[in-house]
Amino acid sequence: MSDATIVVIGMRGVGKTSMGRFAARVLKRPFEDVDHYLEKTLSTTIPDFINTHGWPTFREQETRMLTELLEKHPIGHVISCGGGIVETASSRDSLKKYIAEGGIVLHLVRSINEIEAYLNRDTTRPMYGESMRNVWARREGWYRECCNFEFVVAGQQLKGIETEDAREWALVESNFERLLR
């Protein structure tokens, strides 16, 4: 369905929130972020929730929030997921079911080298004690299994996200808008 809500997935640091917001603006749709929705709904931050309840409970809540958002907004929205949304079978099943029902799940792809370099410079995004390469090795197949579209951010496009250079960012936006349309 052409007005299906677009769900954006991908590794942490790939640009899901930035690109999701851009997609929402271009398509004139409301934007939702699963992580922000979880924090607002549960009145806590994700790090505090994980410290209090642990990763398994966080992943359960993450799946619940995705399901709630898809039930509330099956059409006409853009929803950005956290990088770990594919970690649980229940979330993967939700994403695949959404695709089977005509939904759109867009996997943003970026070189693991570029992601790692970016996250090593961004101190606001902790690594949670696991190598990014190990996380990518575990998740790569799941991302591809749970999407029906991919957009690759690479080479010169990368500079637009990191430096906000207007010319480079315009190239990213132009290519991404072409995919969206």
Side-chain angles (χ1 to χ4, degrees), residues 5 7 10 12 14 23 26 28 32 37 45 65-66 71 80 88 93 114 125 127 137 150 154 164 170-171 181:
T5 288
V7 177
R12 184 165 40 111
V14 77
V26 164
K28 296 178 175 55
E32 292 279 355
Y37 182 74
T45 66
M65 297 301 145
L66 172 63
E71 287 172 358
S80 175
T88 61
D93 290 344
E114 294 168 348
R125 297 169 183 253
M127 297 296 276
E150 287 188 329
E164 298 186 18
L171 177 61
R181 299 223 184 264

Side-chain angles (χ1 to χ4, degrees), residues 31-50:
F31 175 77
E32 292 279 355
D33 182 286
V34 173
D35 287 346
H36 296 149
Y37 182 74
L38 184 147
E39 289 181 332
K40 182 180 172 188
T41 302
L42 301 179
S43 301
T44 187
T45 66
I46 289 173
D48 286 347
F49 187 89
I50 292 167

Side-chain angles (χ1 to χ4, degrees), residues 1 4-9 32 34 37 62-81 85 90-99 101-105 146:
M1 66 186 141
T5 288
I6 298 169
V7 177
V8 183
I9 64 172
E32 292 279 355
V34 173
Y37 182 74
E62 183 181 48
T63 299
R64 185 172 75 88
M65 297 301 145
L66 172 63
T67 301
E68 279 183 21
L69 284 170
L70 287 173
E71 287 172 358
K72 287 166 98 172
H73 310 297
I75 60 170
H77 283 67
V78 176
I79 298 173
S80 175
C81 297
I85 196 73
S90 56
S91 287
R92 293 190 303 271
D93 290 344
S94 290
L95 292 167
K96 289 187 278 189
K97 178 181 178 220
Y98 183 64
I99 291 169
E101 294 169 347
I104 298 168
V105 178
C146 296

Side-chain angles (χ1 to χ4, degrees), residues 18-19 22 160-161 164-174:
S18 297
M19 301 301 277
F22 175 76
I161 291 172
E164 298 186 18
D165 175 281
R167 290 170 296 146
E168 298 298 342
W169 185 242
L171 177 61
V172 172
E173 288 180 338
S174 173

